[in-house]
Amino acid sequence: MERTSLHRYATRPGLFLTEDGGADAVVWSETADQLWLSVIEPLDSPSAFYNTATQLPNDSVIPFHEQIAMFPVCSRIVEGRYCRETLFKMEGPNYGMWYVHIPRAWDGMRYGYRASGTWDPRRGVQFNPYKILLDPYAKGIDGKMDIAPEAFSYQCTVQNGRVHGSAYGSMSMLDNLGHTPLSVVIDDRDVHKHEGDPQHPHIPWSKTVIYELHVKGFTKNAPWMEPELRGTYAGLAHPTTIAYLQNLGITSVELLPIFAKQTEIGIAERGLTNYWGYSTLGYFAPDPDYATEEARRKGPAAVRKEVIDMVRALHAGGIEVLLDVVFNHTCEGGIDGPTVCWRGLDAVSYYRRRTDNPGMLIDTTGCGNTFDFTNTRVINYAVDSLRYWSKRIGVDGFRFDLAPTLARLEGTFSKHHPFLYALRSDLMLGNLKMIMEPWDLGEGGWRTGQFGVPFAEWNDHFRDSTRRFWLTDVDSQHRGFNNEIGMQEMATRLCGSADLFATDPGRGAVASINFVSCHDGFTLTDLTRYDRKHNEANGENNQDGNNTNHSFNFGEEGPSDDPAVEARRERAAMNMIGTLLMSLGTPMLLAGDEFRNTQDGNNNAYCQDNDINWLHWEWLFSPEKTPEMRRLEHTTKLIALRKSLDLYHHEEFFTVLSMLGLLKPSSRVQWLLPNGTTPMERDWFDTSVRCFAMRLLANDEYDVVIVINGLDRHVDFMLPDDCEWRMLWSSAETNGRQPRHVSELPKEDADDGTDETAGSVLYPDKPNDSVWTLTIPDGDTPIHQALKAARHHRLAEVLRAQGDHAGDGDANGVHIDDIRTNDAGSDVAATPPPASDMAHGPVNGMRNGTAAAPAAAKSRTTGVKSTPATGSVTGTDDARHRQAPTMNASSDGAANDPWRIDGLSISLFRQIR
């Protein structure tokens, strides 16, 4: 084969179809002796290279790697795999790059690379020509890796899923063809491919509300779509799915990794899978596991098309798509892991190694290997991948897993790392949303707030302080210990964490991604149900996951039948959601937190591809107001309130740090104690001061006041008397209460000093309290069928609870099949269940992992906690014998009349004049 010149694409890695019907293949390897491009064709089809390739005999005594070195193009029949392999010897290296032009190439062509060179694992060199390797730039991937001896470069055996052998031993001469995935060509030359694309939403940071979800977990149990769409990209693009997201009010979905993945050996040995997807197999190919069966059958191009259609559908619905990306490590794991791509091409250049022992990998990820981002080629590789996903797939931004690993120079984090500059300066990427997870497992790995403009970062300080204030400090109050989080810390987090993020000129509060829970740790509901993790299902003897969760079970581990316990738990959950959505910064919700999702105490469910992780939706079609519906209503209302207030639609700090590191007061925020006075210096440093208000002063609209009562008793609070105030929302509403003027309280409630929250019921029914399912029109639709099945099942549960058998009538002659239709055409149970019989939904558990920051060690002293020196504080502990008074929908009143604020609550007020 003659090749006189390379095509214009030959300076960049990848496989590029050319106008002559062939392709240029370019791959990077600085240390290989020789590389081959391998094309795999089915044996029962004519070969495209019949007149080009030399046929290799099957019975030759010459070793395979010596045979292929003898010819520029050769082919062989692999009968056991019913395929033909044609190998093209590549030219190079030229500045580390290898090239070849092949005369024929087509959409859907399966291919890979083989590499030969020195075998010296103790020096980090592990070339093995018997292993076909993925193209790092492959846009499509076909197949999975088998856990078999063929998957490893060194000689080993596999018994019961366990690998036995030494990575420093002899080279394996077992061919891995048929045991490993292959690269697949996708023709991207269509000049019309972007025609008809909807415009990107381009949501400003100041108006962004992020919703973290797993594509499969979010839709796997969704009853509103056809079964074949559940758990898929197409399911996330379903109109009802998008309508749910719109109704919730979020602006951006952050998807857990959807790059092609490979389950690690250790997880597979336990019969589990890497469900979260933080084990990347290909950085350009989407994971086929989340595609519909039809798309998988059609091949990688159809899988990618489904992803593109999903992104376009979300864009059409006004929702941004952010991807969680994992550039810190690969699925190949440690030195004894399999060889699927990077290790076989150039392990020395791709992975960081110890300078004193190059046979050992540096691991700052906890996953066995670490990409070497001091190598320019690795930086180019990551940037090329990100540009592809943003330009071709159309996503709006990225969240970088274990981001300090990507910015280590000589092992030490630097905000001036070339990779970070490459992201900032790229004309496309620099205008996208880029979010850093600012910690890894290496030395000095906790770097919250240190990435600089234009990066946003997950704020673990907000997460931990919010949990501790509303959960563990509440536990401390009950036990008689001192609190750890006071007004100063909470005020700092409410104002956007200027202590962490006011580090660069122009960097504002929106750089703080505020969250209380994420995929990696407890769900919001489980934070209030469990004091400790319950990860036995992971097969690691409950040793995995984080032990520092700042959770509180309110006296009972796991689900509870005690209404008082459930009421306190729900109040605490809404306190945390309220804090999240009322704080300056960019809020992020975990999917399912808005409707009490739980994971059975598993706080590290990375390997649970089952009901532990899949969201449950049966409550959605209940004819009653369930606790899940109540939580959803409150969360939706809070998001709507946040989006309606221009006070949150800005990026600057209300309180900032100057470049000299000195506190600069702001005219946009005021702080108040319950008696209406400004806190003194001693108040800021007194952690027993847990009652305060934050007034946000507007320029062209009404002010708002956020009132926090962190005491387990009510407080009478004087709001500013220069105007009147209206209560917009309060977490006390979860118990049928809300702030009221003291003068409006019934006489017996005004000054009896009782604790008004201890005995409150969870979400009491209100007059004319209905659910949206009562208005669903009749018809043969997935939603209607799901609704009918849910009601049928619900009525059966009620009748059984009354002592009847399924299929029998109740004491009044009501049969579980006795369903009537109301005027709107929706199904209604002939005898509705009693209001007290409320479904609590399935119980699933918690998450946890590397994301939790270690809490600073603090001593606790015994003794009764003192109340603030200022403010009107009244109350004792118990009112379980009392019935909560009926509350009006809203209360306005005289400016000099104090408001009664329930214990352990957060409330939002707006100026009315």
Side-chain angles (χ1 to χ4, degrees):
M1 179 187 66
E2 294 184 1
R3 180 74 172 130
T4 57
S5 64
L6 292 168
H7 285 249
R8 63 186 181 92
Y9 294 112
T11 58
R12 208 67 172 175
L15 191 143
F16 307 95
L17 299 177
T18 53
E19 298 303 322
D20 61 357
D24 284 332
V26 186
V27 67
W28 169 55
S29 177
E30 295 180 341
T31 55
D33 291 340
Q34 182 60 58
L35 261 72
W36 291 266
L37 171 68
S38 171
V39 179
I40 308 300
E41 301 172 283
L43 198 56
D44 55 5
S45 297
S47 172
F49 312 107
Y50 176 71
N51 291 324
T52 305
T54 300
Q55 181 75 25
L56 299 178
N58 290 332
D59 56 353
S60 176
V61 297
I62 303 175
F64 169 68
H65 66 281
E66 294 183 13
Q67 290 187 66
I68 62 176
M70 298 168 60
F71 308 100
V73 184
C74 61
S75 66
R76 64 176 184 137
I77 294 175
V78 186
E79 294 182 353
R81 297 298 166 186
Y82 201 67
C83 68
R84 176 185 289 104
E85 179 183 18
T86 302
L87 294 113
F88 298 84
K89 185 181 290 187
M90 305 184 75
E91 300 174 11
N94 183 12
Y95 297 101
M97 307 292 283
W98 295 78
Y99 313 87
V100 72
H101 178 79
I102 59 176
R104 293 281 305 280
W106 55 93
D107 189 62
M109 183 181 80
R110 299 189 302 162
Y111 71 102
Y113 293 102
R114 292 185 185 270
S116 69
T118 303
W119 174 261
D120 191 352
R122 295 194 180 278
R123 295 179 180 271
V125 186
Q126 297 169 279
F127 290 104
N128 187 334
Y130 290 88
K131 310 302 172 184
I132 192 167
L133 308 170
L134 279 175
D135 180 0
Y137 281 74
K139 296 174 181 175
I141 294 178
D142 179 31
K144 294 284 187 180
M145 184 197 73
D146 296 336
I147 301 179
E150 289 83 354
F152 299 84
S153 289
Y154 58 93
Q155 293 182 7
C156 64
T157 59
V158 177
Q159 296 177 347
N160 299 323
R162 295 186 179 275
V163 181
H164 303 277
S166 172
Y168 301 106
S170 301
M171 184 182 76
S172 168
M173 299 184 71
L174 297 176
D175 197 312
N176 70 342
L177 185 59
H179 298 274
T180 194
L182 294 171
S183 310
V184 179
V185 172
I186 296 179
D187 190 348
D188 253 349
R189 294 175 296 175
D190 183 4
V191 296
H192 303 290
K193 60 192 174 189
H194 291 298
E195 290 183 0
D197 285 11
Q199 293 294 317
H200 289 231
H202 294 302
I203 308 297
W205 270 117
S206 57
K207 296 185 179 181
T208 298
V209 180
I210 299 173
Y211 188 71
E212 188 194 35
L213 65 84
H214 188 286
V215 169
K216 183 175 184 179
F218 189 78
T219 61
K220 182 62 177 177
N221 290 325
W224 58 80
M225 65 184 69
E226 297 79 5
E228 60 269 21
L229 298 182
R230 296 172 188 170
T232 69
Y233 303 116
L236 191 56
H238 191 280
T240 304
T241 307
I242 296 176
Y244 174 85
L245 297 174
Q246 290 178 330
N247 292 338
L248 178 59
I250 59 94
T251 67
S252 313
V253 292
E254 181 176 305
L255 307 183
L256 266 68
I258 63 170
F259 289 6
K261 66 180 185 298
Q262 174 68 51
T263 294
E264 300 93 321
I265 301 299
I267 300 175
E269 287 176 351
R270 304 196 302 272
L272 301 170
T273 61
N274 190 320
Y275 171 79
W276 283 351
Y278 293 93
S279 182
T280 308
L281 175 67
Y283 289 92
F284 290 77
D287 195 332
D289 289 347
Y290 307 144
T292 59
E293 183 178 349
E294 180 182 4
R296 293 197 302 270
R297 185 173 60 251
K298 291 181 178 179
V303 171
R304 189 184 71 164
K305 179 64 163 55
E306 193 170 300
V307 175
I308 294 173
D309 289 344
M310 173 194 71
V311 172
R312 292 181 179 182
L314 288 164
H315 283 174
I319 298 172
E320 293 180 317
V321 180
L322 313 177
L323 298 186
D324 200 337
V325 294
V326 189
F327 287 103
N328 51 79
H329 74 282
T330 76
C331 66
E332 291 185 320
I335 191 70
D336 56 351
T339 296
V340 294
C341 179
W342 310 272
R343 173 173 286 130
L345 285 172
D346 196 342
V348 172
S349 300
Y350 272 110
Y351 295 132
R352 289 184 60 199
R353 296 180 175 274
R354 289 176 48 177
T355 55
D356 61 335
N357 185 359
M360 295 292 293
L361 296 172
I362 293 175
D363 181 13
T364 61
T365 67
C367 300
N369 63 56
T370 304
F371 261 143
D372 186 0
F373 271 80
T374 63
N375 193 311
T376 302
R377 294 292 187 184
V378 173
I379 293 176
N380 288 343
Y381 178 45
V383 170
D384 288 347
S385 169
L386 296 170
R387 286 182 59 86
Y388 171 76
W389 282 92
S390 57
K391 183 177 181 179
R392 182 65 188 96
I393 310 300
V395 303
D396 306 281
F398 305 93
R399 178 264 190 188
F400 294 87
D401 182 63
L402 303 182
T405 290
L406 313 179
R408 287 182 177 269
L409 289 173
E410 303 301 327
T412 303
F413 171 83
S414 172
K415 66 181 295 185
H416 304 294
H417 193 282
F419 178 59
L420 301 184
Y421 276 107
L423 296 178
R424 294 185 186 109
S425 59
D426 188 274
L427 291 177
M428 177 178 290
L429 301 179
N431 290 310
L432 301 180
K433 286 187 168 74
M434 289 185 286
I435 303 169
M436 299 295 173
E437 183 185 36
W439 48 78
D440 66 13
L441 300 186
E443 183 179 358
W446 234 265
R447 298 290 176 170
T448 307
Q450 299 181 33
F451 280 83
V453 175
F455 305 111
E457 303 174 37
W458 278 19
N459 188 348
D460 55 305
H461 292 248
F462 181 95
R463 174 198 64 197
D464 294 344
S465 295
T466 302
R467 291 183 183 185
R468 291 161 71 187
F469 185 85
W470 292 116
L471 296 175
T472 55
D473 275 4
V474 173
D475 186 23
S476 295
Q477 291 183 63
H478 284 242
R479 295 173 182 268
F481 296 132
N482 290 336
N483 299 308
E484 295 184 346
I485 303 297
M487 181 172 60
Q488 183 188 45
E489 174 65 16
M490 289 303 293
T492 302
R493 303 304 153 223
L494 285 165
C495 273
S497 298
D499 60 327
L500 299 170
F501 295 98
T503 56
D504 295 350
R507 197 178 199 203
V510 293
S512 173
I513 304 297
N514 299 331
F515 69 106
V516 177
S517 55
C518 65
H519 71 277
D520 191 3
F522 284 107
T523 67
L524 181 67
T525 293
D526 288 341
L527 282 170
T528 68
R529 286 187 178 180
Y530 297 92
D531 274 355
R532 59 190 182 275
K533 64 188 181 184
H534 298 270
N535 298 354
E536 291 80 6
N538 295 351
E540 300 182 53
N541 299 316
N542 206 31
Q543 298 300 307
D544 62 305
N546 204 292
N547 294 317
T548 305
N549 301 290
H550 307 301
S551 61
F552 177 34
N553 66 11
F554 290 86
E556 186 175 347
E557 189 78 355
S560 175
D561 294 327
D562 187 337
V565 171
E566 281 297 292
R568 285 182 174 274
R569 287 174 171 178
E570 191 62 21
R571 173 76 69 88
M574 289 313 306
N575 285 336
M576 289 185 283
I577 290 183
T579 304
L580 173 67
L581 292 171
M582 294 181 198
S583 296
L584 301 179
T586 303
M588 183 185 78
L589 285 167
L590 172 64
D593 277 354
E594 75 275 19
F595 58 79
R596 295 164 55 94
N597 181 54
T598 174
Q599 292 181 185
D600 289 341
N602 191 323
N603 77 348
N604 190 33
Y606 70 99
C607 55
Q608 300 297 328
D609 190 1
N610 49 48
D611 275 345
I612 291 177
N613 267 315
W614 302 341
L615 302 188
H616 292 263
W617 299 93
E618 58 269 19
W619 58 270
L620 192 61
F621 299 107
S622 172
E624 311 164 8
K625 272 293 178 69
T626 66
E628 292 84 0
M629 289 181 184
R630 304 284 190 185
R631 170 89 67 86
L632 178 62
E633 288 177 346
H634 278 275
T635 306
T636 300
K637 180 179 180 180
L638 273 170
I639 294 175
L641 284 172
R642 178 187 178 91
K643 294 169 72 174
S644 71
L645 298 171
D646 286 341
L647 279 161
Y648 290 97
H649 301 166
H650 68 92
E651 299 191 1
E652 72 271 13
F653 292 100
F654 279 165
T655 302
V656 302
L657 300 177
S658 73
M659 298 308 295
L660 296 177
L662 302 176
L663 189 66
K664 178 182 177 182
S666 171
S667 60
R668 301 289 301 279
V669 64
Q670 293 177 353
W671 301 97
L672 304 167
L673 292 175
N675 65 357
T677 63
T678 301
M680 305 293 288
E681 184 176 0
R682 65 176 179 271
D683 297 317
W684 289 108
F685 296 97
D686 183 356
T687 58
S688 68
V689 178
R690 292 172 57 84
C691 299
F692 61 93
M694 178 175 77
R695 182 180 186 178
L696 302 180
L697 293 94
N699 292 327
D700 301 316
E701 63 169 355
Y702 294 115
D703 297 353
V704 299
V705 170
I706 299 165
V707 179
I708 289 181
N709 181 2
L711 297 176
D712 200 4
R713 52 187 173 274
H714 65 245
V715 173
D716 293 341
F717 216 111
M718 291 293 298
L719 296 187
D721 60 3
D722 56 353
C723 62
E724 295 182 13
W725 300 93
R726 171 172 296 167
M727 196 277 295
L728 297 180
W729 178 86
S730 175
S731 61
E733 294 177 299
T734 61
N735 303 112
R737 309 185 61 82
Q738 59 182 214
R740 296 188 64 180
H741 285 287
V742 172
S743 62
E744 298 176 345
L745 294 172
K747 184 176 181 180
E748 63 272 16
D749 290 341
D751 55 3
D752 63 359
T754 55
D755 177 1
E756 298 168 335
T757 64
S760 300
V761 297
L762 175 62
Y763 291 139
D765 285 337
K766 301 175 184 177
N768 302 318
D769 203 6
S770 63
V771 296
W772 67 275
T773 54
L774 298 180
T775 61
I776 294 178
D778 200 355
D780 189 18
T781 65
I783 289 180
H784 177 78
Q785 295 303 320
L787 173 61
K788 188 171 182 179
R791 289 180 177 156
H792 189 280
H793 177 69
R794 180 70 185 126
L795 183 56
E797 285 183 339
V798 173
L799 295 179
R800 291 189 189 100
Q802 296 173 348
D804 296 316
H805 297 286
D808 298 334
D810 68 8
N812 297 318
V814 180
H815 193 279
I816 65 172
D817 291 325
D818 186 10
I819 304 293
R820 64 181 173 85
T821 304
N822 66 4
D823 293 338
S826 61
D827 293 337
V828 181
T831 302
S836 61
D837 186 19
M838 304 176 77
H840 287 269
V843 179
N844 288 347
M846 315 176 263
R847 305 182 178 107
N848 195 8
T850 61
K858 293 189 178 180
S859 61
R860 285 182 167 179
T861 58
T862 58
V864 178
K865 175 188 166 298
S866 61
T867 58
T870 57
S872 173
V873 181
T874 61
T876 58
D877 286 8
D878 197 3
R880 298 192 181 198
H881 63 284
R882 300 178 61 252
Q883 182 176 357
T886 303
M887 294 297 171
N888 298 326
S890 63
S891 296
D892 309 331
N896 59 356
D897 191 1
W899 291 77
R900 175 66 53 86
I901 305 296
D902 265 30
L904 297 177
S905 68
I906 180 172
S907 305
L908 177 66
F909 294 81
R910 192 184 73 172
Q911 175 186 3
I912 56 177
R913 67 173 179 268

